[in-house]
Amino acid sequence: MSLDGAYLSLIKQELLSKGLIGSRVDKIHQPARDELVMTLRGFKGGVRIAMSANPSAARVCVTEGIADNPQSPPMFCMLLRKHLSSGRLLDISQEGLERVLSFDFECVNEIGDIVRNRLSVELLGRCSNIILLTEKNGEWRVVDSIKRIGDDVSAIRRILPGILYEPPPKEDRLDIRFCGIEEAVERLLQFPQQKLEKCLIKTFEGVSPILCREWAFYTARDIDVPCKCLEDKERKERFSFFLNRIKNILTDTENSKAKFSVIYEKSGKPVDFSFIAAEQYGVDVVLKEFPSPSALLDSFFSGRANAERMKQRSGDLLKSILAVYNRTAKKLELQKGELAACSEREVFRVKGDLLSANIYRMEKGMNEIEVDNYLTGEKEVIKLDVRLTPSQNAQKYYGEYRKLDTAEKMLTQLIEKEKQELVYLDSVFDSAARAQTDAELQEIRLELSQSGYLKKGKNRTNEKTVKPLQPLKFKSKDGFEIWAGRNNLQNDKLTLKTAKGDDLWLHTKDIPGSHVIVFANGKEIPDSTILEAARIAASNSKAKGGTKIPVDYTKVRYVKKPNGAKPGMVIFSNNKTVLVDGDLE
């Protein structure tokens, strides 16, 4: 699902058609470690361009989404602001159909001289990078890059500040836009027994596997065909027709001949994307068309990019929660072991009783005594402390019994407390793993700070700086408002303060997740709305994506919070349970 050079050329045409040449750099943000968002502002207004060097989502495109930015900008972002802010865009270029798009700017440096800087976006899979270059004596030199590449990473091509920029090595391949049919067929027939799909990738520059599979499928109505199939006249004509079709799409400056489509499995999972309508999958997939190449990429990668961003930002928090969870779980296991040892307390009580019954036979200085055990009917030898009197020896065994009896009662309470703590930490971990914004992570840090699990100074969590978020809001087909808490603090506020007694409360059964409220507003809530709310509860829980997930529901008046309970922890009664799937779509 990588972005190929042919598709990138259509992105370049879209950017040029928006009249960006002459516009100026207005804002630069770096929402993630390997992602940039640059706003260019011209006569037609502002245009946000997303650039990503993430190997799983490498792209350049116009974006409509607004990503959360870190509180303090990273160093590379500050460097770009220094060198590119207010710079005027001179050109957007692509060499051939290489997967490299360059933005040239006219800028003013710190001493007031006009300089030419370039932001080069290389979409090369695992080697993807975003590189800032400056022109000196007709040569491009590296100022810095979002990923520095030294000798320890690559001995072939280094990307380090101050060195001369070397473009990615280029292979001897044909440019599909200017290639003739005879030249293309001649190249392919050099490998008559090899698969046509594979040879197309080796022969042409900037073509993706999906495009080559579609080309082979159109040529022979089969993907697994060798190159020698082009010796057939009819198949050669079909091959030629498809070649001309791609040429027309790639040379159309308006992008009006392309069909920007995403291929989805019937389950809704995206498979791939292309600028043509793919026929190779038959009726096993669903195609969705988009109005522009950027709209497709923005939709295709936005969810994945946001998930990657949040994974990076929540990593430390999740590690902290997991460390506390593991520590608590280890303590719980030790307490269970101690509790098991307390089961021996009755042995000490019986020995105390036996010594009391035979105290007339005991003398100080004895180290043991043999007595009849009235429980087993057998002889039993009981050890004695020679330093103690007979009565003191009996009281010693009673003391051990009382100590273990008290320990059992205390350990039972502690074990129950630790179990509840594990349930709570599991719910916090689930909330942090499902967080979609920095604000949600801040609220979770605040919750952990208030509960004593995190130190405020270490995590810079200040209650005054954390702005309260609104719950997730939905509306059922029957017109009922449905709200879902994002974390435990929101769950408490939503259930205990916002909701009223006749509103409906839902939560996944014995599974960490959000509290969900259906606001009745004096009306009877129909079953269809309850099912929709249950799906929302399932999709906002640890069981998201599963099937037949049990969801409890009851009226809010039957939901109570025990004294001293952790945030989000409640008890409820008069509930019913419904089974739903955990896929919100």
Side-chain angles (χ1 to χ4, degrees), residues 30-97:
Q30 188 175 347
R33 183 174 55 228
D34 44 17
E35 184 177 346
L36 292 174
V37 177
M38 177 184 293
T39 302
L40 298 175
R41 190 166 297 279
F43 293 111
K44 296 183 179 180
V47 175
R48 283 195 302 273
I49 302 176
M51 308 173 184
S52 176
N54 187 325
S56 64
R59 69 196 184 282
V60 178
C61 66
V62 177
T63 181
E64 299 296 332
I66 301 177
D68 283 342
N69 296 299
Q71 291 182 344
S72 55
M75 292 299 296
F76 186 65
C77 179
M78 295 294 289
L79 183 75
L80 291 180
R81 290 176 181 177
K82 174 184 175 181
H83 288 275
L84 298 181
S85 287
S86 300
R88 186 168 65 91
L89 182 64
L90 299 177
D91 190 22
I92 302 175
S93 60
Q94 179 189 19
E95 184 179 351
L97 290 180

Side-chain angles (χ1 to χ4, degrees), residues 31 54 96 102 123 199 236 267 326 366 411 424 428 468 480 524:
N54 187 325
S102 299
L123 309 178
C199 289
K236 182 179 177 180
S267 63
N326 290 336
M366 295 176 62
L411 284 169
Y424 169 70
V428 177
F480 287 85
E524 187 70 23

Side-chain angles (χ1 to χ4, degrees), residues 8-23 40 43-45 47 49 62 89 91-92 101 103 252-256 260 291-294:
L8 189 61
S9 71
L10 300 177
I11 292 287
K12 186 192 81 169
Q13 291 175 14
E14 180 189 10
L15 294 175
L16 293 173
S17 69
K18 288 183 176 293
L20 293 180
I21 302 301
S23 60
L40 298 175
F43 293 111
K44 296 183 179 180
V47 175
I49 302 176
V62 177
L89 182 64
D91 190 22
I92 302 175
L101 199 62
F103 297 79
D252 176 23
T253 57
E254 300 296 327
N255 285 344
S256 59
F260 302 106
S292 68
S294 287

Side-chain angles (χ1 to χ4, degrees), residues 3-273:
L3 178 62
D4 62 19
Y7 197 101
L8 189 61
S9 71
L10 300 177
I11 292 287
K12 186 192 81 169
Q13 291 175 14
E14 180 189 10
L15 294 175
L16 293 173
S17 69
K18 288 183 176 293
L20 293 180
I21 302 301
S23 60
R24 293 190 177 272
V25 177
D26 185 31
K27 296 177 182 178
I28 302 175
H29 297 290
Q30 188 175 347
R33 183 174 55 228
D34 44 17
E35 184 177 346
L36 292 174
V37 177
M38 177 184 293
T39 302
L40 298 175
R41 190 166 297 279
F43 293 111
K44 296 183 179 180
V47 175
R48 283 195 302 273
I49 302 176
M51 308 173 184
S52 176
N54 187 325
S56 64
R59 69 196 184 282
V60 178
C61 66
V62 177
T63 181
E64 299 296 332
I66 301 177
D68 283 342
N69 296 299
Q71 291 182 344
S72 55
M75 292 299 296
F76 186 65
C77 179
M78 295 294 289
L79 183 75
L80 291 180
R81 290 176 181 177
K82 174 184 175 181
H83 288 275
L84 298 181
S85 287
S86 300
R88 186 168 65 91
L89 182 64
L90 299 177
D91 190 22
I92 302 175
S93 60
Q94 179 189 19
E95 184 179 351
L97 290 180
E98 288 292 311
R99 290 178 292 170
V100 180
L101 199 62
S102 299
F103 297 79
D104 289 359
F105 298 93
E106 183 183 73
C107 307
V108 178
N109 63 15
E110 57 267 22
I111 60 175
D113 292 338
I114 296 177
V115 295
R116 189 182 180 103
N117 294 327
R118 170 178 287 179
L119 193 62
S120 185
V121 186
E122 300 180 350
L123 309 178
L124 305 174
R126 290 182 298 174
C127 300
S128 297
N129 210 340
I130 303 174
I131 308 168
L132 177 63
L133 310 170
T134 189
E135 189 179 36
K136 290 184 179 180
N137 302 323
E139 296 179 327
W140 291 105
R141 290 197 172 271
V142 177
V143 179
D144 208 343
S145 59
I146 207 164
K147 298 177 185 177
R148 291 185 179 181
I149 310 298
D151 291 329
D152 56 332
V153 179
S154 174
I156 300 174
R157 183 171 179 256
R158 299 183 303 155
I159 304 293
L160 294 172
I163 69 172
L164 186 67
Y165 173 74
E166 296 180 6
K170 191 174 181 179
E171 299 181 9
D172 180 24
R173 298 185 183 183
L174 300 176
D175 190 325
I176 200 169
R177 298 170 297 180
F178 312 113
C179 172
I181 180 63
E182 296 301 332
E183 182 183 11
V185 172
E186 182 181 353
R187 281 268 192 121
L188 292 167
L189 287 179
Q190 293 177 8
F191 314 98
Q193 301 302 326
Q194 295 186 22
K195 290 178 65 173
L196 178 59
E197 170 205 347
K198 301 295 183 183
C199 289
L200 286 170
I201 296 176
K202 297 177 184 177
T203 302
F204 291 98
E205 181 182 43
V207 291
S208 61
I210 184 176
L211 179 62
C212 293
R213 288 197 304 271
E214 190 65 22
W215 199 344
F217 181 79
Y218 188 85
T219 298
R221 288 301 168 188
D222 189 7
I223 296 176
D224 298 320
V225 292
C227 291
K228 69 176 183 179
C229 73
L230 296 178
E231 295 174 352
D232 180 79
K233 181 180 178 181
E234 181 181 352
R235 289 181 172 179
K236 182 179 177 180
E237 289 177 352
R238 294 180 66 84
F239 178 88
S240 175
F241 180 86
F242 197 91
L243 174 62
N244 290 326
R245 178 184 169 190
I246 298 175
K247 281 185 181 181
N248 291 334
I249 292 173
L250 297 182
T251 54
D252 176 23
T253 57
E254 300 296 327
N255 285 344
S256 59
K257 298 179 180 179
K259 298 290 184 183
F260 302 106
S261 55
V262 175
I263 299 96
Y264 293 91
E265 293 180 355
K266 290 189 176 180
S267 63
K269 180 182 177 181
V271 178
D272 216 326
F273 63 88

Side-chain angles (χ1 to χ4, degrees), residues 14 38 70 76 111 165 169 195 209 216 220-221 279 331 347 375 391 404 427 456-457 502 505 508 517 522 569:
E14 180 189 10
M38 177 184 293
F76 186 65
I111 60 175
Y165 173 74
K195 290 178 65 173
R221 288 301 168 188
E279 299 178 1
K331 188 195 301 183
V347 174
L375 293 177
S391 177
L404 291 177
S427 70
K456 291 186 178 181
D502 287 331
W505 178 89
T508 45
I517 299 294
M569 301 294 105

